[in-house]
Structure formats: structure tokens, C-alpha cells
Amino acid sequence: MVIVIINETVDLQVRHEEIMETIVSLDMLKKGERFRINRVTHVREIGKKLADMGFTKGVEGLVVRFALLHDPIEIRILGYNVTIRRAEAAGINVEKISAVLPAVVTQKGKR
Amino acid sequence: MKEKCVIRVALAGNPNTGKTTVFNALTGARQKTGNYAGVTVEKREGKRSYGGVEFTICDLPGTYSLTAYSLDEVIARDFILEEKPDVIIDVLDATNIERNLYLFLQLQELGIPMVGALNIVDQAEAMGIKIDSRKLSTLLGVPLTRTVGTKGIGTDELLDAVIAASQKLIPPDRHIFYGSELESEIEQLTREISTDREFSAKYAPRWLAIKLLEKDANAQEKLIGCRNRELIEKKASASIRAIETHFGRDAEIVVSEQRYAYVHGIIAESVMRSSGNFSATSEWIDRILMNRILGLPLFLLTMWCIFQVTFKFGRYATNLLNIAFAFVTTLVSAAIPAGIIHSLLIDGIIGGLSGVLSFVPQIAILFLCISFLEDTGYMARAAFIMDKFLHLFGLHGQSFMPLMLGFGCSVPAIMASRTLKNPRDRIITILVTPFMTCGAKLVVLVFLAGIFFGKNEGTYVMIIYLIGVVLAFLSSLLLSKTVLRGELTPFVMELPPYRLPTARGIAWHVVDKTGRYLKKAGTVLLAASILIWAMVSFPKLPYEAAGINGHSRTQDELAYSVAGRLGKAIEPFVKPLGFDWKIGISAVTGFAAKEAVVSTLGVLYKVGSEEDQKTTSLKAALLADKTFNPLVAFVLMLFTLIVPPCIAALSIIRAEIGWKWLGFAVIYMLSLAWVLCFATYQVGRLAGWGI
């Protein structure tokens, strides 16, 4: 992990700018990839549950691992680990970030 | 200042925050458990004397939020709204402070004085999370105490804070700022609700206003009691529209997001984090236990071990119990002369009691294992590993455990379904668990297969097992698409860091579960076995009428009894399945315990009474009987598999999900059994199988 930081701090700023444009759904991410939540498109129970558990705009997270058949997915957000099904992840729009930062919210993402 | 002698406290908090350990540390041994009115959610209450004050503490279900979607959340908030405790203690997990504060802010909106217990601070500090509790306390406007529940640290300070908070008559008017757009809508709604004084004294107007913006169905229901309901409803929908146009998102989500934004603001001011604050030990354990390839075999191995321990060790303990009961029986036999009282005592009461108690070792051992796995945090991981497969059939990842235990005995298996939080998932799991061939059904299967299938007995028993599994999965698919259809429930589940369970917590679980079984199912089970004894014993055949026509006495007596008449009465229904009245009686007594099918057949076809000759002679008698042939035997095996389980399992189904679902289960299983057995028998007869 530490080596990655040294390699990437140089073009961190540039990268951020680029990636801001590409929004993908969370289920498209690979193991170990980091993201910042853009929007949760689910409504009612699932949408509310995700929001209650901290899946809100601007929060950063990490894809920890997948189960055997790539479903469910384990995610780390707000300093804890949570599992969601692939179908639920498909309704969460995120932007990939490559910076190795602790999975906490940044002021930037806040409204 | 008003001096109170009793302070009623509600203990709230997220799951996995060590809330229970705080509860134990606060109350010691002075606890009792019950249910919340009308639901099977456990309610724990405890008492504590401290500083001249008597505290009654109610442990609310652990929740992440207070929405109307989850039963636990509705129970927690209704308790606070209806019972109006004097103080709420919110247990906050210091290692996970954001999500915990999110609940805290919602509790605060209910308008009851609050105290925060900042728990697991030792671990948080080890993980590099530094919380400025004085700053946090000022920002939240409530007193905060640091506690370590597992070591009982900080409980006195916590109770001091509770006393102080209860003496402030007016709760601090501190609440979050949702941003100017939302606040103006909240304010207008609050004003409207406040015009009905009586109503707003019951429900905090601001809380209700926010809940209405969140489209909370339960809050909308509460509004029925309000005088200017129509006006408020109209205003609420207008506000929701305004918010959704402004933010371009669902109002429900907007409220959550604003709340989290507020939490993030508080955290930024009061919490210092060094990077990588995550439990390294948990990470390592999960690399192995949650490995994509290794995870499944390790899980199955764990389950296999639990199964072995529960049913193997359980059997030793049950055998010891049986020896004790045999001893009591000899004592009673010696003391009381033969007759109805003798028979009632021995066959009815002692027989029933030993039936009830024979499950106790299994239940105790099983819940020792389950609560260990649950308290360490492995159960959530197990659900993660199994979910994909089970979800295909409308089940949940955590349904696996009860289903697998069903191969041992349905009673502990159905009790194990408590780990499922969602009522719908739980009901489906409980309804299909009896299709897993239990140990008692296996006795019947092996008995019949041994007589009629000779060398192939193993294959036929295996076929029945497989049919059971297939029926369980197909039934759950059917139920989840029909009777228990409903909106897809989220599988958003926390994977808490691994923690070492406390011996006390586990012991409490074991005692509580066993006690519950004895109280809830044991009484019904005992009553039922006395009833079945009466059905087999009455009415009495006159002495001179028995034992004629070459039948034995017991044979004639059984045929003459209520059970025997019932068997004859249902003969027309079981005839199309190839059964006669004798098999009908066996099916009736099979409700007491599945093994009874064999012993009843033994009585009905009785040739000799010597134990060792019984099987061979019974085998000869069954083979000689014209009703029986391999096809009928197979249909009877199938019938035994599908018909409603024994009384013990039925009474535990009632205890867990109520009479309504019990009735449904019985009707469903009876009709399924009849249809499948009818089809098998008729097709088999036409095809000439085994005749």
C-alpha cells in the first residue's frame, strides 16, 4: 500500500480531475478499487437502507472482496465493512478514485 | 428540583456496539426477558440501584436507524414514543462513530433527555481513532461518558449522567440543522402539527414533521389521531415535491444525506484519525475465512462440526436423561398399582416430560455454538458466503443454518432461525425447514427401506432425502413468489470486526433459549403428549371383547380407541395413496413423534412381544400383508417426509410465528403430501413398479 502512495502522489491532482467525469455503477468495480459515491438511484426500502448505512453522496469507500460467484460484494465505507448484493450495487453510481486515502468523507464531496 | 426515586431508562444503539455488554454491566443479574407486545422480538429489562435511585433499564433492539421499514426500528421508536422513558442512553461504538452518530441524532429528535455512552474506546484508540469527547459532547449538547462494557468500566459515571439528565425537566432544545431548504419545510410542518396541542404533546412535532418528509408510513398512520390531519398531509406532500424538485432526488434520501452531512461536520471537529484505522486482526482472519475459494469449504466444515457436536453430544446427554426417566418409571411402577392412573403417569406424563426434556441438551449445545459464532461476528460472514445460492430460491444467506440443522431435528433448527432479522425471510425458512429429513423420520425411512428394498435401502433413503431438499427449495421459491411475496428486502448487512465473545453473554443466550423452549413449546408439547396418550387409551375396550379372532389384546384395544377410530375414519382419504386404516393410525400417532410410526405398526402387526424378535417378525408380518408392497412402502416413506412434523416441531413453529402460520404450514404440508403421494402411487401402480 505504502509503495502505491509514493508512486501516485505526484499525479494525484491530475488524476482526480480526469476521473471526476467517469461515473460508473459500483458493481463494475474490481476488488481493491476505491470510489466516491455520486448517487444512490434506489428508492424506498433499499434506497433508504443504503442511505442509513452511510451510502450518501461524497462518501468514499473501497471494494474489499466478492463472494464466490461475484455476489454479494463486501464494501468498506465510513470505517466499517458492509455487504451488499450485486443488484444493490448496480444502483449506486460512483466515480473511481485512485488515491489511497482513508475511507472517510472529504470536505469536497459535501454539499 | 424534583427528586425521583425511579428512573426509567431506554438503552439504544447500533447492533454490534457492545450494547448488551453495557446492559449487563449496568444491571448485573437483575434481568428478565419477555417479548414486545404482539411480536416475537425479544425484550430485555433490568434493574439497578445506584445513588439512592432505582433504575429500570429496557434494552431496545439494536438498530441503525429509526425508519418504518424494519420491525426492530419501529419497536425501538414506538417504545420511546409510547412509554416515554425518562432518559435514553445511546451506546456509541467509538470505532465506528459516524454511523453511530447518525442514529444518535434521530433519537435526539424524539424529545427525550439523552446520555451518550462512548463504548469500546480502548479499541478505537488502538486503531488510531482519537475522539475528543468533551468537544463532541458540546457539539451534540448531551453528556458523554467513556465506557468499556466488557470490563464494566464507566458504568457509575454513566448512571451519574443519567441522574443529572433526568433532573433537567426540559430536554435541551438541540437538534441538527438540515440545511435552509429543508429547515423551512420542516418549520412550516412543525407549526401546523403544533396547533393540535394534545397531539403534539404525544409526538414531538419536529420529529413527526421530519418523518413525514421521509414518507414514513408509520408516522402517516400516527397522524390519524391529529385534528388538522388533512391540512398537514397536503402540506407534507407539497413540501416533499418542493424538496425533490430542488435536490433532484427522493426526499427520503435527501433527509438521510443531510443528516450524514451534519455528522461528517461534527466528526471533522471532534475526531482525529490516523490513516488505515481498521482492525488488522479482522482483516487477516477474513483473508482466510472469507477467501473466495476457501470460504465455502471452511463454512461447510464449521457447520458440519456444529451438527456433529449438537446431535452426537446431545444424544449422550439425552441417553443419560432416558436412564434417569427409566429409573423414575420403575419407582412409579412399584408405588402405584396398574390401572388408568398408572398408565397416565407413565405413558402420559413421564413419557411426555421425557419427550420435552430430551430436546434440552441439543438446544443448549446448539445455542452455545450459535451464540459463539454470532458474537464473534462469523454468522454475518456465513450469510455472505451462502447468500447467492439461497437467494435464487427466495431465501436469505442466513437461512442455511436452520435448514442444515433440520437434518438433525426441526425443533432446534426452527429456533435457530432467530438469527434472521427480516420477518419474511424467517417465516419462509421456518416453513420449509421440516422438509429436511430429521433424525426421527430417518428411523421410519430406514425401517421401511430395510424391509422392502433389501440391498438398495441406502439408495431409497437417499432419494427421500433429496426429494426433501428439493421440496424445501421449491417451496421457498413458491412461497416467496406467492403468499410471502413482497418488495425485495435489502441485503445490506454489516460485517462487524471479529470480537471475542464474553462467557457471560453466551451463558445468558443458552439459558434464555432453553428456558424459552421449555416455557413456550414444552408446555404445549407436554399437553399434546397427554392428549395423544388419551387418544390411544380411550375408550377402553371391555375386557372380554379384546384378544379374540386371533388378534392380540393391544391390537384390539388400539383399534377400538379414539386414535384407532380416527385411523379408520381417515381410511377413505388415504386409500388412494395405497394405505389402509392401520397405516392411517400410524400416521396419527406419528404426530407424537415420528418414531411412533414404527412402534404403532409394531403393535398393529404384533406377532411376538420379545424385543429382539420384533423386527424380524414384524418384517415377516409386513411382507405377508397384502396392503404392503415396495411401492406402498415407498409412498409411505414419502408421506412420512412431507406430512406435518411431530407435535414438538409444530409447537415450536407456533411459538415462533404464531397460530396463523402454523395452520398454514399444516394445511400446506398435508395437501402437498397427499397430492405427491397420490401421484406417485397411481403412476407407480399403472407402471407396475414394485408390485
Side-chain angles (χ1 to χ4, degrees), chain B residues 385-441:
Chain B
I385 292 166
M386 288 308 295
D387 184 68
K388 178 71 187 174
F389 172 69
L390 291 165
H391 187 54
L392 287 175
F393 297 97
L395 290 161
H396 185 275
Q398 282 178 328
S399 307
F400 187 82
M401 178 84 147
L403 289 180
M404 186 216 54
L405 290 167
F407 285 129
C409 173
S410 291
V411 174
I414 288 167
M415 288 181 77
S417 69
R418 286 243 165 149
T419 38
L420 288 154
K421 280 282 165 257
N422 181 293
R424 183 177 152 273
D425 295 335
R426 231 180 95 201
I427 292 170
I428 296 183
T429 308
I430 290 176
L431 291 179
V432 305
T433 298
F435 288 130
M436 314 306 274
T437 309
C438 73
K441 285 180 180 176

Side-chain angles (χ1 to χ4, degrees), chain B residues 319-468:
Chain B
N319 286 344
L320 284 180
L321 270 174
N322 286 342
I323 293 169
F325 271 105
F327 180 67
V328 174
T329 310
T330 26
L331 283 187
V332 173
S333 293
I336 296 164
I340 289 179
I341 306 271
H342 177 269
S343 161
L344 169 68
L345 275 176
I346 287 178
D347 297 330
I349 295 176
I350 296 179
L353 267 180
S354 77
V356 169
L357 290 181
S358 65
F359 291 110
V360 168
Q362 290 177 6
I363 290 173
I365 296 171
L366 174 64
F367 278 97
L368 189 81
C369 300
I370 290 187
S371 44
F372 182 80
L373 289 188
E374 209 157 7
D375 291 359
T376 48
Y378 185 68
M379 280 305 239
R381 270 102 180 157
F384 176 81
I385 292 166
M386 288 308 295
D387 184 68
K388 178 71 187 174
F389 172 69
L390 291 165
H391 187 54
L392 287 175
F393 297 97
L395 290 161
H396 185 275
Q398 282 178 328
S399 307
F400 187 82
M401 178 84 147
L403 289 180
M404 186 216 54
L405 290 167
F407 285 129
C409 173
S410 291
V411 174
I414 288 167
M415 288 181 77
S417 69
R418 286 243 165 149
T419 38
L420 288 154
K421 280 282 165 257
N422 181 293
R424 183 177 152 273
D425 295 335
R426 231 180 95 201
I427 292 170
I428 296 183
T429 308
I430 290 176
L431 291 179
V432 305
T433 298
F435 288 130
M436 314 306 274
T437 309
C438 73
K441 285 180 180 176
L442 180 64
V443 172
V444 183
L445 300 184
V446 169
F447 168 77
L448 288 170
I451 293 175
F452 290 96
F453 300 113
K455 253 196 267 161
N456 291 328
E457 65 170 330
T459 319
Y460 281 90
V461 171
M462 201 62 217
I463 290 173
I464 295 287
Y465 262 78
L466 287 178
I467 293 175

